[in-house]
Amino acid sequence: MTVDRRTFLNGSAALGAVIAAEPALAATAASPLPAYADPLFNKPYIDVDEWRDTPSRHRYVHGGFTGTGAKFQIQLPPKERYRGRFFQYNTPIPTSELTAGNIWGNTFDAFCFDSGAACVVTNQGGFDNIPQTGSDAVDPAIGSYRVAAATAMYVRELAGKMYGAHRCYGYAFGGSGGGYRTLACAENTQAWDGVVPYIHGNFHAWPNSYAGRARGQRTLKAKLRTIADAIEPGGGDIYAGLDADERVILKEVTGLGFPVRTWVFEETMGIGPLTVLFQSIQMLDPEYFELFWKTPGYLGHDHPEAFKDARVQHRARVKRVILSNEAAAMGLRPPGLGATNADPDLAWRTFQQDYGAPLPVALELESAPPPGSFLDMANIDVASGESAGKWLVLGGMSGNIARLQFSPAGGSLREITGKIRVGDEVVVNNSNILAYETYYRHALLPPEYYVDNQFRKADGTPIYPQRPKLIAYDLMKGATPTMPTGKFFGKMIVVQNLVDWDAHPWYADFYRTQVRQTLGSRFEDRYRLYYTDYATHGALPDPTRVIPFSGVLQQALRDVAAWAEQGTPPPRETAYRVEDGQVLVPPTAAARRGIQPVVDLTANGGLRAEVKAGEPVTFVAVVEAPPGGGRIVAADWDFAATAKVEAATAGRFPLSDQFAPAQRVKLTRQFTFDRPGTYYPAIRVHSQRQGDARTPFARVPNLGRVRVVVT
C-alpha cells in the first residue's frame, strides 16, 4: 500500500540579520509573557555563584530547588553581550555531569554567548531524590517538564536582578527522548517563548518500529551487504537478489518507516532502546508470546519452518553465580550501564554505584547454546529452584557464562538471581524475541498512523489477529504524563533527520499533521519542520556518509528567537512527501526549501563512473543554499572513502576549495585513482546564514557522494 502525503509546506521570507547583532535587551514582545508556577519547585537555592573566564567571561550559577533532587546550571554573559534571551538544553543530565560543555563538543555555552543568550541545563529532577520514571507515586511530569519549566522561570528572575528589568525570552530544545520531553514542555506549560524539539520519537509507534527493525536485522543479515550496495550512489534495485520471503520482509519493514538508507550502517547501529523496551513489552503483553507459537494467524504457528534454524531452547544447569565485583576481575562487561566503557573494572564500579552493592550479574552454565545461535535479547527462563517461573534477559554469552540484562518481571535483578543456586536448571530461550519481530502485524495503531495501513484489507479491517489492547501508552507513561496533541504555547521549529534509525523521519510528519489540524490558519505563524539530509541519530559511523547536525540546531534556535522576539518568520519548511513509510525530499534547493544546502555531485557526468587505474576522473559539484538559507562558505573533498564504514575522522576530507561565499557555487576537481577498487568520493559543504566563513556556529552541512569503480 502506498501512502502519498504531498503536504508541501508554505513558509515565509528569509531571515534578516543575525540575532546576535540586535540591540541589547530587545523589548519587542511579539509573543505572550511566559507564565508558570510549581508548588514543589518553588524554593530555588544557589550553592555556587562566581565569575569564570572559560569559554569567555561569564557568571556561573549552580543550584537547585530546596527539598528535591532537582539541579540547574545557569551561565550568564556580561551585560554588553546579553540580548535578553536564554537557551535551555532539555535532556536529562546526571548531576555529576551537569555541565554545558558536554553538549555539541564543549561548545553549547560558547554558542549561547555568541547568540546573546544565557546558557541553561538541568537534571530534570535528578536520578536520586526524584526519579524521572517509576511507580505511580512518582509524578512523571517532574522529569517531563516541571523541573525544566520551574528553572526557566527562575532564570528570568535571576536575569532581572543581574541586568535590570526587561523582557527575557526563553527557548528550550532537546533531542530523542529529550525531543519528546520538549514537546511536553511546550504543550503543558507556558514557560518558553519557543522550542526546538529534534529527532523526536513517537511513543505509540515505537513497539512496532523496533519490532520491524529487529526482524530486518536478523532475517536479512546475509543480504544486507547486497542491499547496502544497491542503496549507495549508482546502485540499483534493493530487492534484487532477495527471495520471495526476504522481499516481503524488506517491504514490510520499509513500509513501517525504517529509513532504508540506514541499512548501510547495520553493523554499527545495534538494537538501540530495544534492550529496555523489550523487557517492558514482555511484561505488558505476556499472552502474545504464547499465542504466537500456538494460534492460527500468527507466523510462529502458521509457518514454524521459518524459525527452524533460528529458535533456541537450550537447557543447562548453573555451575556458578557470578557477582558484579567478581565480574570486574574476570573482565566481563556489564549489561546496559557502562557497557561501552573501555575499562571493565571502572564500568562495574559505576554499575554498583547505581545498585548500591555487589549483586549477581552472570551465570556460569554447564553448557552453552550451539555456536552461532541467535541470542540477541534471548530470555533466561529459570526452570527450577526458588526462582522457578521467573525470567531474565540475556545480555550475551562469554563462553559458558551468560551475562544478564536488567531484570524485567517478577522482582529486581537481585531478587531473582539472589535465589538462584548452583544446580538450578535454566533455559536459554529466544522464542519471545523471535515472536516479537512481527508484533507490528498484531498491534495496529489507528489509521492516522499510516505506516500500519499496509496490514489492513481494502475495507480497512486488519489482515492479522489483533491484540485486545495497545500497550504503547502504558509502555511510556512513566516517562511522560501526556501524549502530544499538537496544541502548544509559543513558536516551534522541529528538526528531524532523514537517516535516523531510532527516531524515524515520518514521526515528525505525524506530529506536524496534529499541529496543522490544531492550529488551522495559524499554522504558518507558529510551526516549522526542517528535515536534515545525511544526518542520523547521534554518533557519526562514517563522516563521508553522515553529517553532524548541531549547526542545523543552532540556526533553528536563532531562527525561533528572531521569530518570537521580532516577528521575523524563518525560512520555509522542508518540502517532502511520505511514500511507503519513507520521507522523500526534492533534489534541488529551490524545490526542497528548508535551511540545508543541497549538493549535486557527479563523476564523469554521472552518479557512477567506471575507469581504469591511472585514468583521471572529473568531479563536478553544484552546491546551492535554499531561499533564505544564507550562502555556501566551505567545501571539502574526500576521495579515499570505500565501501567500508569507517568512524575515524583523522585524515578525512583533506582537500578544501577556496571561494567567495555565495548562494550557489560550482566546483570542479580532477582526481586519479592509482589502485583498483570501488570508491565513494564525497564532498562536504557548509552554508552559513550571514555568509560568515570564519564562525564555528550555525554552519549547516550536507554531503554529495558518488561511486567510482576502478579496474
Side-chain angles (χ1 to χ4, degrees), residues 164-499:
H166 67 286
R167 170 69 157 92
C168 180
Y169 290 82
Y171 309 95
F173 72 107
S176 191
Y180 209 84
R181 290 171 185 267
T182 302
L183 294 179
C185 285
E187 291 199 353
N188 291 280
T189 80
Q190 297 184 8
W192 295 272
D193 297 280
V195 295
V196 180
Y198 64 98
I199 54 175
H200 71 70
N202 186 308
F203 284 171
H204 269 141
W206 273 354
N208 291 351
S209 296
Y210 283 109
R213 169 171 159 180
R215 190 182 188 202
Q217 285 178 298
R218 182 184 67 84
T219 61
L220 299 175
K221 192 170 186 64
K223 301 294 180 68
L224 287 178
R225 188 174 297 275
T226 301
I227 294 171
D229 182 75
I231 293 166
E232 291 281 37
D237 180 6
I238 63 172
Y239 293 96
L242 305 185
D243 63 31
D245 290 338
E246 291 167 338
R247 283 173 171 262
V248 169
I249 293 167
L250 182 56
K251 186 176 187 302
E252 288 186 358
V253 174
T254 301
L256 282 170
F258 185 84
V260 69
R261 292 164 59 191
T262 66
W263 285 123
V264 173
F265 308 110
E266 191 278 330
E267 292 185 1
T268 62
M269 72 173 66
I271 57 177
L274 187 59
T275 54
V276 176
L277 290 175
F278 180 54
Q279 299 182 44
S280 298
I281 290 167
Q282 291 184 85
M283 291 168 52
L284 291 168
D285 195 2
E287 183 186 45
Y288 168 81
F289 299 95
E290 293 290 330
L291 293 174
F292 180 83
W293 300 102
K294 300 176 180 179
T295 307
Y298 293 84
L299 189 64
H301 173 274
D302 295 351
H303 295 283
E305 72 279 2
F307 304 96
K308 179 181 178 181
D309 298 325
R311 195 176 183 187
V312 175
Q313 295 173 299
H314 177 78
R315 287 184 172 269
R317 294 194 179 276
V318 175
K319 287 183 62 177
R320 178 186 178 192
V321 179
I322 300 171
L323 299 178
S324 51
N325 56 346
E326 298 172 317
M330 296 169 66
L332 296 176
R333 295 189 179 276
L337 181 64
T340 60
N341 196 296
D343 180 354
D345 183 63
L346 176 61
W348 278 113
R349 289 202 303 271
T350 303
F351 182 87
Q352 288 179 188
Q353 287 173 5
D354 187 62
Y355 278 86
L359 73 161
V361 294
L363 304 174
E364 183 179 357
L365 307 180
E366 289 183 346
S367 62
S373 296
F374 173 70
L375 299 176
D376 292 353
M377 300 303 297
N379 284 355
I380 300 176
D381 299 330
V382 185
S384 67
E386 290 186 59
S387 286
K390 305 292 187 181
W391 53 274
L392 302 156
V393 173
L394 180 68
M397 294 292 302
S398 298
N400 283 19
I401 296 175
R403 293 177 288 115
L404 308 177
Q405 284 284 1
F406 298 103
S407 172
S412 70
L413 186 64
R414 189 189 302 276
E415 289 171 343
I416 298 175
T417 56
K419 297 178 181 179
I420 295 178
R421 301 288 183 267
V422 172
D424 287 351
E425 190 175 42
V426 298
V427 181
V428 179
N429 188 354
N430 68 357
S431 299
N432 282 11
I433 188 62
L434 293 175
Y436 171 66
E437 290 178 353
T438 47
Y439 192 77
Y440 56 81
R441 290 180 171 182
H442 306 281
L444 300 188
L445 297 167
E448 57 265 29
Y449 290 82
Y450 43 84
V451 298
D452 283 359
N453 290 338
Q454 61 179 307
F455 305 111
R456 289 187 167 91
K457 302 173 185 176
D459 62 2
T461 59
I463 297 173
Y464 301 101
Q466 294 298 297
R467 306 303 303 130
K469 179 184 178 182
L470 293 175
I471 65 170
Y473 184 70
D474 288 339
L475 185 68
M476 304 307 301
K477 69 179 180 180
T480 180
T482 58
M483 287 293 178
T485 64
K487 184 179 181 180
F488 60 89
F489 179 82
K491 309 285 189 181
M492 181 182 293
I493 296 177
V494 171
V495 174
Q496 202 82 349
N497 297 340
L498 290 178
V499 191

